[in-house]
Amino acid sequence: MTPELLSPTLPTVNVEVLRARCATCSMHQLCLPMGLDMGDMDRLDQIIGRRRKIARGVSLFRIGDAFQNLYAIRLGHFKTYQINPGGEEQVTGFQMAGELLGMDAISADRHHCNAVALEDSEVCEIPFSSLEQLLGNMPTLLRHFHRMMSQEITREQSVMLLLGNMQATQRFAAFIVNLASRYEARGYSGSNFQLRMSREEIGNYLGLTIESISRLLSKFKKEGWLRVSNREIEILQPAKLKAITAGTDICK
Amino acid sequence: MTPELLSPTLPTVNVEVLRARCATCSMHQLCLPMGLDMGDMDRLDQIIGRRRKIARGVSLFRIGDAFQNLYAIRLGHFKTYQINPGGEEQVTGFQMAGELLGMDAISADRHHCNAVALEDSEVCEIPFSSLEQLLGNMPTLLRHFHRMMSQEITREQSVMLLLGNMQATQRFAAFIVNLASRYEARGYSGSNFQLRMSREEIGNYLGLTIESISRLLSKFKKEGWLRVSNREIEILQPAKLKAITAGTDICK
DNA sequence: CGCAGGGTTGATGCTGCTCAAGACGGGTGG
DNA sequence: CCACCCGTCTTGAGCAGCATCAACCCTGCG
């Protein structure tokens, strides 16, 4: 692949593989290998299966699929959603690079949600049985894996809080603030970013309709808290948004 | 303690300790030791700390407490709740015997929610650092622990679904059906049981007010789906409740 | 140019919240 | 034993926040 990049004077190295090692991945400080030394990171690398490209709109896994792998997102964004018996979606989360997908499948050996790429993305396939073996021998990895699972639990608890007792304005502010902080943690701007999801997906996630999201965006724009253009977001008053999220500022 | 129970002709055995072993606990087929052989169960027993009694209304842990232990419920019921910045509670779950408390604290070494006994209860204290060491040497235990964490994730996802796109009637039916199935899994009646939580706690959990819960109970009674007397519940039409939960039956 | 998909805005209505009053049940003290 | 009280629960009336329905706009694309 792309052989023109390989100078003949250099030793032959498979570029794909090189690119794909944990040690050279920009997410290794957030992702599973966090805190591992080089030796351990190599051992982890060895069990990781394919690095797969997932095109926008394509499913990584679906409800009911047999559980084989966890997936670490290298690049891009995903949404996960469940289907209620009436056939309607419920978005349960938006995931970005450095996050792990599929942990809900461990309990029953089947996936409980669908995961779809919101844009062209890349993931690392982590065969769970191999990972579990490795965990037995690598306390640092074990610890970090538990932290990631636990993080998923606390993340969901905060969504429960959001859905259970916040008003629409507060929910939406919380959503924006949450995205901003996650981009910041990844070294991107926390004040300028693009929404990778549609209004409909946001509304579904927040337990609101698409119209409500649209109105909220208009209002946040009118109030001067945000600059909005299509899916482009600029946060103009981060403190205000945080205050609304916190409920300090009861502004409808 | 209770020396009158110890016949002088039998070898002296500490009754408290006997009572407290995993192997003799009625919950060992649901709880952490599930699937362990006797040897492994003994090793697990050895790391387990105190068996503590928690009186009704007393906190097992609070938000911000340093994380030391997970807790397995031997007996009784708990609720977990978060506090939003406005000081209001949001109940995030009700736990019963055989379930594990505290897994959300692994990620940050601090508890993220409060856990309060809904009635006089008993828990086993499981020092997490010891548990993690043990997990490295006991693949079966490791597997089951991951299943339990994953179960917590899927449980919360289904609450998100409930809060995100169900109507009040459906939420409440889902709540009752969920309780029933959990009692059944524990060998209790799935059609006759007592609510251990107040109307207010139910409402808070389901994102509804106490008045709504009260009205829903009255309605379910009037429709002949439930018999209700104070906190005593008898399910008269389980199929109906399941249909409402599933959304098959759009009955408001 | 026309179309499709996504987004915005307005008018109206319903579900569940708020506020208020009263009932019930269990516990306490006279 | 009754009177009283308190917390919990029930029921009713009115209201508001968000959903629903509908029309329209914008943008990209064939």
Side-chain angles (χ1 to χ4, degrees):
Chain A
M1 8 226 112
T2 62
E4 65 276 16
L5 288 182
L6 289 175
S7 150
T9 61
L10 290 174
T12 22
V13 173
N14 183 326
V15 178
E16 274 297 322
V17 169
L18 181 68
R19 236 194 61 236
R21 287 182 55 228
C22 283
T24 59
C25 174
S26 65
M27 284 302 136
H28 78 253
Q29 295 193 358
L30 281 165
C31 189
L32 204 47
M34 187 186 108
L36 297 186
D37 60 38
M38 289 305 273
D40 280 356
M41 217 180 278
D42 274 346
R43 294 164 71 194
L44 176 58
D45 261 325
Q46 275 157 32
I47 69 156
I48 292 184
R50 289 175 294 166
R51 263 74 178 187
R52 286 172 57 189
K53 292 182 196 291
I54 312 288
R56 175 195 165 97
V58 171
S59 284
L60 181 56
F61 51 78
R62 291 171 211 264
I63 297 168
D65 282 358
F67 172 55
Q68 305 278 358
N69 305 299
L70 294 177
Y71 299 93
I73 305 174
R74 280 174 64 77
L75 194 73
H77 285 75
F78 285 79
K79 69 168 173 179
T80 48
Y81 61 97
Q82 298 192 289
I83 304 279
N84 74 11
E88 299 151 288
E89 289 186 14
Q90 169 67 40
V91 174
T92 51
F94 298 110
Q95 294 79 21
M96 51 179 76
E99 294 175 339
L100 226 47
L101 278 168
M103 292 183 291
D104 60 290
I106 298 171
S107 65
D109 282 323
R110 306 234 149 250
H111 286 282
H112 279 87
C113 62
N114 294 357
V116 170
L118 295 174
E119 59 185 329
D120 292 353
S121 302
E122 290 181 36
V123 299
C124 300
E125 218 173 66
I126 308 174
F128 185 65
S129 56
S130 316
L131 177 64
E132 233 178 4
Q133 284 182 344
L134 209 57
L135 291 175
N137 305 318
M138 291 173 52
T140 316
L141 184 61
L142 183 67
R143 192 76 229 271
H144 189 58
F145 178 62
H146 289 163
R147 282 185 195 273
M148 289 186 87
M149 284 197 87
S150 173
Q151 236 167 56
E152 178 71 13
I153 292 173
T154 58
R155 185 192 71 76
E156 284 172 7
Q157 279 176 359
S158 59
V159 177
M160 285 170 65
L161 190 135
L162 180 146
L163 292 174
N165 74 20
M166 290 186 184
Q167 301 278 80
T169 309
Q170 206 179 351
R171 292 186 196 187
F172 186 69
F175 172 70
I176 295 293
V177 168
N178 174 269
L179 282 183
S181 76
R182 283 156 76 196
Y183 286 124
E184 216 149 56
R186 279 156 184 77
Y188 301 120
S189 165
S191 57
N192 270 278
F193 52 87
Q194 239 203 79
L195 298 173
R196 319 295 165 131
M197 61 295 281
S198 68
R199 308 287 196 261
E200 182 160 19
E201 287 163 333
I202 298 172
N204 188 308
Y205 179 57
L206 297 178
L208 300 169
T209 57
I210 182 174
E211 293 95 331
S212 294
I213 300 301
S214 186
R215 281 183 239 274
L216 285 165
L217 273 165
S218 302
K219 174 181 160 178
F220 278 41
K221 189 153 74 170
K222 202 179 67 194
E223 299 282 354
W225 304 335
L226 288 182
R227 191 165 293 151
V228 184
S229 159
N230 299 322
R231 296 193 175 180
E232 212 61 52
I233 295 286
E234 181 180 355
I235 299 181
L236 299 174
Q237 300 194 27
K240 183 78 178 174
L241 294 188
K242 274 171 204 156
I244 294 171
T245 299
T248 319
D249 191 325
I250 314 293
C251 174
K252 8 159 129 188
Chain B
M1 9 222 111
T2 62
E4 65 278 15
L5 289 182
L6 289 174
S7 152
T9 62
L10 290 174
T12 22
V13 172
N14 183 324
V15 178
E16 274 297 322
V17 167
L18 183 66
R19 235 196 61 237
R21 287 181 55 228
C22 283
T24 60
C25 173
S26 66
M27 285 301 137
H28 78 252
Q29 295 192 358
L30 281 166
C31 189
L32 203 49
M34 188 186 108
L36 297 187
D37 60 36
M38 289 304 274
D40 279 357
M41 218 182 278
D42 274 346
R43 293 165 72 193
L44 176 58
D45 261 324
Q46 274 157 32
I47 68 156
I48 292 185
R50 289 175 294 167
R51 264 75 179 186
R52 287 173 56 189
K53 292 182 195 292
I54 311 289
R56 175 196 165 97
V58 171
S59 284
L60 181 57
F61 52 77
R62 291 171 209 263
I63 297 169
D65 282 358
F67 173 55
Q68 306 277 359
N69 304 299
L70 295 177
Y71 299 93
I73 305 175
R74 278 172 66 75
L75 194 73
H77 285 75
F78 285 79
K79 69 168 174 180
T80 48
Y81 60 96
Q82 299 192 287
I83 304 279
N84 73 13
E88 297 151 289
E89 290 187 12
Q90 169 68 38
V91 174
T92 51
F94 298 109
Q95 295 79 21
M96 51 179 78
E99 294 175 340
L100 227 48
L101 278 169
M103 292 183 291
D104 59 290
I106 298 171
S107 66
D109 282 322
R110 306 234 149 249
H111 285 283
H112 279 86
C113 61
N114 293 359
V116 169
L118 295 175
E119 58 184 331
D120 292 353
S121 303
E122 291 180 37
V123 299
C124 300
E125 219 173 65
I126 308 173
F128 185 65
S129 57
S130 316
L131 177 65
E132 232 177 6
Q133 284 182 343
L134 209 57
L135 291 175
N137 305 319
M138 292 173 51
T140 317
L141 184 61
L142 182 67
R143 193 76 228 271
H144 189 56
F145 179 61
H146 289 162
R147 282 185 197 274
M148 289 187 86
M149 285 198 86
S150 173
Q151 237 167 56
E152 178 72 13
I153 292 173
T154 59
R155 185 192 71 77
E156 283 171 8
Q157 279 176 359
S158 58
V159 177
M160 286 170 64
L161 189 135
L162 181 147
L163 292 173
N165 73 19
M166 289 185 185
Q167 301 279 82
T169 309
Q170 205 180 351
R171 291 186 197 188
F172 186 69
F175 172 71
I176 295 292
V177 168
N178 175 268
L179 281 183
S181 76
R182 283 156 76 195
Y183 285 124
E184 216 150 57
R186 280 156 184 77
Y188 300 120
S189 166
S191 57
N192 270 279
F193 52 86
Q194 238 203 80
L195 298 173
R196 319 295 165 131
M197 60 296 281
S198 68
R199 309 286 195 262
E200 183 161 18
E201 287 163 333
I202 298 172
N204 187 309
Y205 179 58
L206 297 178
L208 299 170
T209 58
I210 182 174
E211 293 95 332
S212 294
I213 300 301
S214 187
R215 283 183 239 274
L216 285 165
L217 273 164
S218 302
K219 175 182 163 178
F220 279 40
K221 189 153 71 170
K222 203 179 67 193
E223 300 281 355
W225 303 336
L226 288 183
R227 190 165 293 151
V228 184
S229 159
N230 298 323
R231 296 193 176 181
E232 211 61 52
I233 296 284
E234 181 181 355
I235 299 183
L236 299 173
Q237 300 194 28
K240 183 76 180 179
L241 294 188
K242 275 172 202 156
I244 294 170
T245 300
T248 318
D249 191 325
I250 313 293
C251 175
K252 357 159 137 193

